[in-house]
Amino acid sequence: MRSYQDMCGIARALDVVGERWSLLVVRELLYGPKRFADLHRGLPGLSQNVLTQRLRDLEESGVLAHRSALPPIAGQVYELTERGRALESVLLALGQWGSPLPPKPGSATELSADALVVALRTTFLPEAMEGVRASVQLRLPGDAFHLTIGSEGLVAARGDMPADAVLTCAVRIVQDLVFAGRPLDAVVEAGLATADGDTVLLRRLLTAFDDGRTG
């Protein structure tokens, strides 16, 4: 790995996670372990060879580790170490800083499931849900996230758990609902989503994000 050869803490951090794709690999592991194929699926612009190298570099730096998966999953999975999980606040801050910037031409139009959850957390407007203590289950194709609204803002965890409201749809539909202002009723009527439980809560949550269309 290349080094800045600089004593500054920022430079030393970038020596570890400053290589291209490194922080996005960490992003894909924020909410739990993944297999190599799952990581590659979440980062379609990254070649398998470069992903292999980044995983090796991050493991050597103590940011992640690999182990045998637990049944029913077979094979090896990669997961963040305690030091790697400490990067969550860094990634959320970068997400907040970068959200107002326009995407580069040719950028993918659909987020990975993990990138979607990071985007929801970094654009969440706590004042829009002031006084609300509730949870929403987000069921995506092949994945699920439990979103908790509370004093700490919007907290996310991978998994399918009981919640006050449940939204089942594709990642792209969530993007349209939150960042393009598409009405929930319209996507439900079109058969593109199902909404169960407290739909009033769900509608309110879907409008509690900075979508970049105002201000």
Side-chain angles (χ1 to χ4, degrees):
M1 294 178 65
R2 293 173 294 182
S3 171
Y4 287 100
Q5 299 293 326
D6 189 314
M7 280 296 294
C8 168
I10 296 172
R12 284 183 282 164
L14 290 174
D15 282 346
V16 176
V17 295
E19 290 284 352
R20 193 163 184 254
W21 295 104
S22 292
L23 283 177
L24 296 187
V25 172
V26 175
R27 180 199 71 192
E28 290 296 303
L29 293 172
L30 280 180
Y31 301 108
K34 285 188 175 184
R35 296 174 301 176
F36 184 94
D38 298 324
L39 283 167
H40 189 251
R41 192 177 303 113
L43 298 164
L46 175 59
S47 72
Q48 292 190 9
N49 287 341
V50 174
L51 175 57
T52 298
Q53 184 62 54
R54 292 296 170 268
L55 289 170
R56 184 181 297 119
D57 292 342
L58 291 169
E59 185 168 13
E60 290 176 355
S61 300
V63 173
L64 59 80
H66 76 275
R67 60 170 174 80
S68 296
L70 300 175
I73 301 173
Q76 299 283 310
V77 293
Y78 296 86
E79 63 184 353
L80 296 179
T81 62
E82 183 176 350
R83 186 161 179 77
R85 288 191 295 273
L87 286 166
E88 181 174 12
S89 59
V90 176
L91 285 172
L92 293 178
L94 278 172
Q96 288 177 326
W97 187 84
S99 290
L101 301 174
K104 295 289 186 181
S107 296
T109 58
E110 184 172 321
L111 298 167
S112 71
D114 292 79
L116 170 68
V117 174
V118 170
L120 294 178
R121 294 189 65 197
T122 57
T123 59
F124 180 65
L125 301 172
E127 61 273 17
M129 301 295 287
E130 187 174 359
V132 175
R133 301 291 182 271
S135 61
V136 170
Q137 183 64 41
L138 185 59
R139 292 176 180 161
L140 306 169
D143 217 334
F145 292 88
H146 189 76
L147 308 178
T148 303
I149 308 151
S151 58
E152 296 181 357
L154 188 68
V155 177
R158 176 172 273 111
D160 200 339
M161 294 168 263
D164 299 296
V166 180
L167 175 64
T168 305
C169 62
V171 169
R172 181 72 225 190
I173 298 302
V174 181
Q175 289 179 229
D176 290 346
L177 290 168
V178 172
F179 302 114
R182 193 171 182 183
L184 177 62
D185 291 345
V187 299
V188 170
E189 290 173 6
L192 299 173
T194 60
D196 301 295
D198 189 346
T199 54
V200 173
L201 166 69
L202 188 53
R203 288 188 185 89
R204 182 174 175 184
L205 177 62
L206 291 171
T207 62
F209 300 89
D210 183 356
D211 57 17
R213 291 176 293 144
T214 59

